Amino acid sequence: MSKKIRGFHRLAAPALLVGLVIPLTGGCSSDALDPTSCAANLEAKVDALQGAADALVQVAGEMKVSVGVACKGIAMAGGEDPGADITAESSDEDLQAVCGKAEAAITANLSAAGSVSLTIEGGKCEVAAEAQLNCEANCSVEGECTPGSIEARCDPGELSVSCEGECAGGATCEGSAEVAANCDGECSGNCVVEVTGGCEGTCEGSCDGTCSAMDGQGNCAGTCEGTCTGTCSAPSGTARCTGQCTGECKLAADAKIECGAEVKCKGTCNGTATAPSCEANLEPPDCNLDADCQAGCEGQASLKAECTPPKVIFNFTGDVDANFVLALEANLPALLNVVAKGELAVKAAGDVAVKFGEVVVEVGKAAGCVAKFGASLAAKAEASVKASASVSVSVNASASASGKASSGG
């Protein structure tokens, strides 16, 4: 089964970290006479949140460059002049202008198209769970603490592992266009099976019956009304895929299969599970961890998430320039990747903003902490405000251009 993108919801701009830039004047405290003294628990909070702020700034720059390159590629292929290259230091207005050119190119070049949609294969984001666990190890706790492993703190349905055994019913074999997964269930990409019998989809081989399209060698390369002997690519939603899937295969409830070499299993693995990763934020640890510090650690995990771009196939009817189609298929994955990562980044930016503001006030009441962190906190607060807004601009520009492509302009 293929994913059809009909449009995107624009993400609201993240909170502008209200309250971060607070004068750190240093009030009365027990360390007022020692400018080098700062409580260890407060230092851990500051370190965690500053780490999240640094990650936010880095992500904002990476997103801006990625979106700028993709929008420029689409604009140029469509006959628009996108102007200079976008860098991490470029303004948000410059990025919006380039993506505006891309949207204009999409509208101009798809005006003759009939029905339009995007087929998306693969693509996922995995939070940096190890970074979160390492960060949390420095946070203060009350009483005993069991931080837990990635496996213990990841929602079972979001835990992805290399499975030496069978991936069980209801789980997902995570294939891609590059590495197909063994499948016995619902396929989010092309389902390719070797069959002798009816083929609901495109038959590539011999057709004992009527074939809607033939290739140059006289073999069937279309819909076969009869018996297809060869490779059948089943279209979305036609039947249970019992072959290989060039996307995610959600296994049927009664299925138990090995996903295949280099293909991970998300869900239940009946066998030896290694290389765990989580595709959602970890659940809180089983202890009373300092909330401000934990927010910074979770923010780092989300902002440092590794995202794999999907493969995009542009589906249309009508007269569309072939080179422009190639440009869309080459550049839309980067835009969709930013939208996917943006969902994590926007939430993380908002959560970190609230806790960062609280910690800045707390630091401002401790003279030793002001001396140690005051200047850097103020600078990071200002940079975070700018980066947070920039992430929103990048995500919205990506969603807008992708949505326009999927709707035909």
Side-chain angles (χ1 to χ4, degrees), residues 29-56:
S29 69
S30 60
D31 66 358
L33 300 179
D34 183 357
T36 65
S37 174
C38 185
N41 66 325
L42 186 50
E43 283 197 34
K45 294 183 187 184
V46 173
D47 287 341
L49 290 165
Q50 285 194 140
D54 289 340
L56 175 59

Side-chain angles (χ1 to χ4, degrees), residues 173-220:
C173 288
E174 299 183 304
S176 65
E178 291 73 29
V179 183
N182 295 329
C183 186
D184 185 7
E186 182 180 344
C187 173
S188 65
N190 283 326
C191 171
V192 181
V193 294
E194 295 294 328
V195 298
T196 300
C199 171
E200 295 184 82
T202 300
C203 174
E204 298 179 4
S206 63
C207 175
D208 183 10
T210 303
C211 180
S212 63
M214 308 294 287
D215 63 19
Q217 287 72 47
N219 296 317
C220 182

Side-chain angles (χ1 to χ4, degrees), residues 65-327:
V65 171
S66 180
V67 175
V69 169
C71 283
K72 184 173 183 176
I74 294 172
M76 291 180 65
E80 296 285 337
D81 180 9
D85 290 341
I86 296 296
T87 69
E89 289 72 36
S90 298
S91 69
D92 292 338
E93 291 74 18
D94 287 342
L95 179 66
Q96 290 171 320
V98 171
C99 289
K101 294 286 188 179
E103 292 192 30
I106 291 170
T107 298
N109 284 269
L110 299 188
S111 59
S115 63
V116 172
S117 66
L118 305 178
T119 299
I120 299 176
E121 298 179 354
K124 63 178 180 178
C125 289
E126 297 178 347
V127 300
E130 286 289 353
Q132 179 173 346
L133 296 179
N134 292 337
C135 175
E136 287 175 349
N138 297 314
C139 295
S140 64
V141 296
E142 294 181 10
E144 295 184 358
C145 180
T146 304
S149 62
I150 294 174
E151 296 94 325
R153 291 176 55 187
C154 182
D155 183 304
E158 299 294 341
L159 181 66
S160 178
V161 299
S162 294
C163 180
E164 295 181 16
E166 293 179 326
C167 203
T172 300
C173 288
E174 299 183 304
S176 65
E178 291 73 29
V179 183
N182 295 329
C183 186
D184 185 7
E186 182 180 344
C187 173
S188 65
N190 283 326
C191 171
V192 181
V193 294
E194 295 294 328
V195 298
T196 300
C199 171
E200 295 184 82
T202 300
C203 174
E204 298 179 4
S206 63
C207 175
D208 183 10
T210 303
C211 180
S212 63
M214 308 294 287
D215 63 19
Q217 287 72 47
N219 296 317
C220 182
T223 301
C224 175
E225 295 182 6
T227 300
C228 170
T229 302
T231 301
C232 172
S233 297
S236 169
T238 57
R240 178 164 164 168
C241 175
T242 53
Q244 288 196 311
C245 176
T246 61
E248 292 190 347
C249 172
K250 183 173 178 58
L251 301 179
D254 59 346
K256 292 182 180 180
I257 66 172
E258 294 183 4
C259 292
E262 300 182 47
V263 177
K264 298 187 79 172
C265 170
K266 182 171 73 171
T268 302
C269 167
N270 292 333
T272 303
T274 57
S277 58
C278 192
E279 296 180 21
N281 289 120
L282 299 182
E283 298 293 333
D286 186 19
C287 57
N288 189 13
L289 196 68
D290 182 90
D292 294 332
C293 191
Q294 185 187 355
C297 296
E298 185 174 310
Q300 290 185 44
S302 295
L303 291 164
K304 294 178 180 179
E306 292 291 334
C307 294
T308 304
K311 178 182 178 181
V312 175
I313 301 173
F314 185 61
N315 312 292
F316 65 95
T317 59
D319 185 18
V320 181
D321 179 72
N323 289 329
F324 188 69
V325 170
L326 291 176

